[in-house]
Amino acid sequence: TRGHYGGAVAVENGSAAFADCDFSENLLQCYNGETDTRGAAIWAKNAALEAAGCLFATNLIDTMYYGGMGGAIYATGGSALVTNCVFNGNAGFHTPRTYDAQAGRGLYGGAICLDAVPNATIVDSAFDGNYVNSKRGGITAYAGGTIYVAGGKASIERCRVARGGRWGGSPTDGGAVNDSGAICLASGEATVVNTLVADGHACAFEVSGGTLSIDRSTIAGGDAAAVLQSAGTGRISNSI
């Protein structure tokens, strides 16, 4: 699909519920225009979004000049409930023509981007190998190789997050690992409970604003620090 929003599904207002669905190999490409590309599988605005028992695999945002948000799901406003879902190999990918300053503005959330969602819950779900990537550099920001939260309130419970992160260049091009979390909080509030974050391609968590609380969770392996905090508040309890 060539466009800006929702490679498979786009919903605005109202509600949308998906159960036992397969969202695989959706490609959302945008090589021109004046806006970011959002939600390679699902884009939701001011809607009550629910996904239960769904598979999201190898969905891809491919953008040239502007940014990308949500390699599988992008949600803004409304609410979001993700239960017992699997996210494998979803990505936000940037392929600039040149290294100039116009070559992209940012990639956020290889699997899920939550943009000012007042009430978002992700529970009993598994994430493996989701990432944000720029093939040649020239991108201004990367964040949330697996999950990116900007504003609102998010709860992540009983999940497994593995091999999530970002690269400053394509892995096949020998791109170096960079410091951006598999789970990134830019603003708002996020709570992570009984969750495993393991073997990431960058730090496990990044906090650049807002309040992040981690409780009864495990951080294992990975190529960088467990938590990278530049602003905001981070709290860790009963975790290893």
Side-chain angles (χ1 to χ4, degrees), residues 36-106:
D36 296 325
T37 303
R38 304 177 184 185
I42 297 175
W43 174 86
K45 180 179 180 181
N46 298 328
L49 173 66
E50 296 185 17
C54 296
L55 170 66
F56 296 85
T58 58
N59 299 289
L60 176 65
I61 284 177
D62 185 10
T63 182
M64 183 172 289
Y65 290 111
Y66 285 82
M69 300 180 179
I73 296 174
Y74 172 86
T76 183
S79 62
L81 175 60
V82 176
T83 305
N84 196 31
C85 291
V86 175
F87 295 79
N88 290 339
N90 304 285
F93 197 80
H94 179 244
T95 310
R97 289 181 177 176
T98 68
Y99 291 92
D100 63 20
Q102 294 182 340
R105 295 192 301 184

Side-chain angles (χ1 to χ4, degrees), residues 57 106 109 120 163 174 219 235:
R163 300 189 304 138
I219 302 170
R235 302 188 181 99

